[in-house]
Amino acid sequence: MNFIKEEDEKRNDYILQKDKTTKGVTKFVILALAICVIGVVASGLYFKWF
């Protein structure tokens, strides 16, 4: 089983595909996780000082 399938490959045993949708969703998930981490750090600093 392959992890990533190229756009032009003809296979069915893959987990992710290199296409526009997968790349867009990956960027969105990474951005959402980064915002969550920044929010946790910021709230930790805020409540530590007050």
Side-chain angles (χ1 to χ4, degrees):
M1 175 178 259
N2 286 342
F3 188 69
I4 297 176
K5 174 188 157 216
E6 298 292 331
E7 285 187 73
D8 56 349
E9 286 183 316
K10 303 289 186 213
R11 10 176 38 160
N12 292 328
D13 60 340
Y14 61 91
I15 297 174
L16 297 174
Q17 183 175 358
K18 279 190 178 179
D19 62 353
K20 190 168 68 171
T21 304
T22 303
K23 291 177 184 178
V25 170
T26 302
K27 289 176 186 177
F28 174 76
V29 168
I30 290 172
L31 180 66
L33 288 173
I35 290 172
C36 288
V37 168
I38 290 170
V40 167
V41 170
S43 66
L45 292 174
Y46 177 78
F47 287 117
K48 183 178 178 182
W49 288 333
F50 294 106

